[in-house]
Amino acid sequence: MSESKCFTIIGGKFVTKDAGTGIVHCAPGFGEEDYKVCLEKGLVGAGNVIMPMDDDGQFDATVTDYAGQYFKTADP
């Protein structure tokens, strides 16, 4: 993904103005609705989503500073 698409504002039917701010982040590798709206808007390709984490929630080698670390441990 190019840096020009790192921060993009898009519309999604699952975001409403009557709860919260009406603005949310999308993580297409972690949520079905996020994936669908990012796919619809051309921000990801089908089957082409960055997922730098294994099934146990540990970062893989592509996240060099936190490779092998559980994601909640890396939060701070």
Side-chain angles (χ1 to χ4, degrees), residues 39-65:
L39 186 61
E40 254 178 41
K41 304 298 181 178
L43 297 175
V44 298
N48 186 21
V49 175
I50 297 170
M51 174 52 88
M53 196 176 292
D54 66 19
D55 290 340
D56 294 323
Q58 295 181 339
F59 287 109
D60 66 20
T62 63
V63 185
T64 55
D65 290 347

Side-chain angles (χ1 to χ4, degrees), residues 1 20 35 73:
M1 177 183 295
Y35 173 76
T73 304

Side-chain angles (χ1 to χ4, degrees), residues 5-6 11 13-16 18 21-23 28-31 33-34 36 43 47 51 54 57-58 61 66 68-69 76:
K5 289 189 177 182
C6 286
K13 293 178 183 174
F14 62 95
V15 180
T16 62
D18 61 333
T21 63
I23 296 177
F30 297 94
E33 289 179 331
D34 291 6
K36 285 180 180 178
L43 297 175
M51 174 52 88
D54 66 19
Q58 295 181 339
Y66 302 100
Q69 198 172 85

